[in-house]
Amino acid sequence: LAGFDFRTPDSIDGALEELAADGSVALAGGTSLVLMLKQDLVPASRVVWLGRISGLRGISSSPEGALAIGATTTVAEIAASSDVQRLQPALAEAAAHVGNPRVRAVATLGGGLVHADPRQDLPPVLLALGASATVRGRHGEREVSLERFFNGLMETDVADGEILTRVTVPAAPPGRRSCYMRFTPASEDDFPTVGVAAALDLDPDGSVRAAAVGLGGVAGRPVLVEEAAGILAGRRPGAAEVAELAAAAERACDPVDDQRGSPAYKRAMARVWTRRALERLLSAGR
Amino acid sequence: VKLRLSLNGEPVEGEVDSGTLLLDFLRARGLTGTKEGCGVGVCGACSVLIGSQPVSSCIYLAVCVDGADLWTAEGLAEREPSLARAFVEHEGMQCGICTPGQLVAASAYLLQDRPADEESIREFMSGNICRCTGYVSIVESVRSALGRV
């Protein structure tokens, strides 16, 4: 690779100062950025490595059950975290299936979100769980819901000179069931043709208080199916309601044609795997 | 950029260009067990161990191993002789190009104290591609090294 000015700040403020220079790019795990540097897709005269900033890494939980995950926490750390497994099992499940063990060991939550490849596994889960991102710049900090975080293919709300510092996942309400399912017709370590995250909040009598479905791989950005709550809320869903929401998921897709399937195939698979995810959640308690 | 790290258990100091890939850094030091396969972090031929975590050295910057405890297949073959022996005894190789990476992945599996069942081994080792063996003998090698066969 062509050389660059390599900086290793040990604080967030230090990193923000280093990133103020033109041509600067932030490096976390590098599983995406180093690939892009190798292909000359990212012009970088300065690389600011965030790996030495201890305050950006780690997972904490509040007494109420909210999770705060630092941006440079690795995918493997999320998969192995007992807090994540206990509080948000769908997130742990998704993290355990990202790429291969070497990718999970190095790739970070924040690096992945800022890279914003729409085929990733974690964004649909975070969308369905109502997560938000904390973004810091030299003039302060702001909170962005994941729903408003992705602007399009590899485009996010994080501006030049800003850093995504952590992701917050709100506490799961009582009766929450959630899961993530990915369909990979090629090999297990491939990006999914479609990834479906579903979260249902059920009353003891089986009626739905809240519902969310997130999709990956089927549009220029991860998609939250807007009709989910409207279709299921207040009802005790059976096959008809599940089919109605699965059809809504299909309509929410805007896929590209690639080696993982044609647009029509991906839409159909979004419907099938949404149905399977919902069936899995609804049958879990029986 | 200056580098200080532990490489295969030995302290190493050196100077690298900022854009040097870890793969090229290692091969320039004569550690040619680490191979370039796909060059995009998928095939596993360039696997090395940082602590107990396997890493693709073809998409990792050498400057990021400053201060690390880094192991390559060469060092692991000496550190974990029973693992290397298991691969020989169970013929967990054929042409050999993926073998250093398989040893690194298997070392990570042992170090992370993961379960000894075949499915777990297959899931973890699936990140290392082998086009010769059909994987059965590789899985047997790892199970044997775990001492549960």
Side-chain angles (χ1 to χ4, degrees):
Chain A
L1 301 190
F4 36 73
D5 176 17
F6 185 72
R7 301 294 176 105
T8 53
D10 57 12
S11 71
I12 297 173
D13 287 336
L16 290 170
E17 265 175 49
E18 303 281 17
L19 285 167
D22 275 350
S24 299
V25 58
L27 170 71
T31 48
S32 300
L33 182 62
V34 175
L35 266 182
M36 293 175 84
L37 290 170
K38 280 179 87 167
Q39 295 168 82
D40 265 333
L41 291 172
V42 175
S45 50
R46 170 183 287 186
V47 171
V48 181
W49 188 35
L50 307 180
R52 294 279 187 242
I53 306 174
S54 54
L56 276 179
R57 189 162 180 171
I59 300 170
S60 61
S61 59
S62 75
E64 296 73 35
L67 278 174
I69 308 176
T72 62
T73 307
T74 67
V75 175
E77 287 163 355
I78 293 171
S81 158
S82 54
D83 275 349
V84 179
Q85 290 170 2
R86 178 172 53 90
L87 297 169
Q88 300 293 355
L91 184 58
E93 180 181 10
H97 290 96
V98 170
N100 60 45
R102 299 182 307 282
V103 168
R104 296 195 286 272
V106 173
T108 68
L109 174 63
L113 292 178
V114 172
H115 181 54
D117 185 318
R119 302 165 298 182
Q120 292 168 348
D121 295 289
L122 302 188
V125 183
L126 294 169
L127 277 173
L129 299 177
S132 60
T134 304
V135 178
R136 195 148 136 198
R138 285 198 296 167
H139 305 295
E141 198 172 81
R142 61 201 172 87
E143 191 87 6
V144 191
S145 77
L146 258 269
E147 237 185 302
R148 290 188 297 110
F149 182 83
F150 301 102
N151 291 337
L153 184 68
M154 296 182 178
E155 296 283 345
T156 73
D157 195 54
V158 180
D160 282 348
E162 288 186 321
I163 296 177
L164 167 61
T165 58
R166 70 175 175 274
V167 172
T168 307
V169 186
R176 163 68 61 84
R177 293 179 193 175
S178 61
C179 71
Y180 176 69
M181 296 176 81
R182 67 202 302 270
F183 174 50
T184 50
S187 61
E188 167 70 17
D189 60 347
D190 194 12
F191 282 118
T193 291
V194 54
V196 179
L200 298 180
D201 297 342
L202 297 173
D203 280 335
D205 70 354
S207 63
V208 172
R209 268 194 327 275
V213 171
L215 305 172
V218 291
R221 54 180 158 180
V223 174
L224 193 62
V225 181
E226 283 173 10
E227 296 106 304
I231 292 170
L232 295 190
R235 298 162 90 171
R236 268 189 278 185
E241 289 80 10
V242 167
E244 195 181 338
L245 180 45
E250 178 170 5
R251 287 193 302 276
C253 300
D254 183 17
V256 292
D257 194 349
D258 63 17
Q259 77 271 27
R260 293 180 186 84
S262 67
Y265 182 66
K266 289 179 181 176
R267 275 192 212 100
M269 289 304 103
R271 171 169 45 78
V272 168
W273 287 86
T274 298
R275 172 171 60 74
R276 290 181 184 176
L278 293 170
E279 285 171 351
R280 179 176 152 190
L281 293 184
L282 291 168
S283 65
R286 280 180 204 150
Chain B
V1 183
K2 280 202 170 65
L3 269 191
R4 286 174 71 174
L5 69 148
S6 168
L7 176 55
N8 291 330
E10 304 282 334
V12 164
E13 285 188 39
E15 185 103 3
V16 288
D17 289 336
S18 54
T20 307
L21 295 170
L22 181 55
L23 169 75
D24 297 326
F25 169 75
L26 292 170
R27 291 184 64 84
R29 298 186 68 89
L31 294 170
T32 52
T34 308
K35 316 285 186 200
E36 177 164 35
C38 66
V40 293
V42 170
C43 78
C46 71
S47 301
V48 297
L49 207 59
I50 297 179
S52 63
Q53 295 288 351
V55 168
S56 294
S57 63
C58 74
I59 55 168
Y60 204 81
L61 296 178
V63 285
C64 294
V65 295
D66 185 46
D69 179 27
L70 178 66
W71 290 81
T72 67
E74 290 90 343
L76 290 169
E78 289 186 22
R79 195 182 92 183
E80 318 274 355
S82 59
L83 181 60
R85 204 175 318 117
F87 269 79
V88 172
E89 283 169 4
H90 292 268
E91 298 180 39
M93 72 198 75
Q94 192 168 318
C95 85
I97 192 159
C98 74
T99 308
Q102 303 284 359
L103 278 168
V104 170
S107 298
Y109 197 82
L110 266 56
L111 281 171
Q112 294 180 14
D113 204 20
R114 286 172 175 270
D117 63 286
E118 179 172 341
E119 195 185 328
S120 303
I121 294 171
R122 280 185 176 271
E123 209 279 322
F124 192 89
M125 298 296 293
S126 71
N128 287 70
I129 293 172
C130 173
R131 298 281 88 138
C132 302
T133 62
Y135 300 103
V136 173
S137 60
I138 292 174
V139 173
E140 286 307 306
S141 302
V142 178
R143 289 183 74 191
S144 163
L146 283 161
R148 316 268 166 84
V149 170

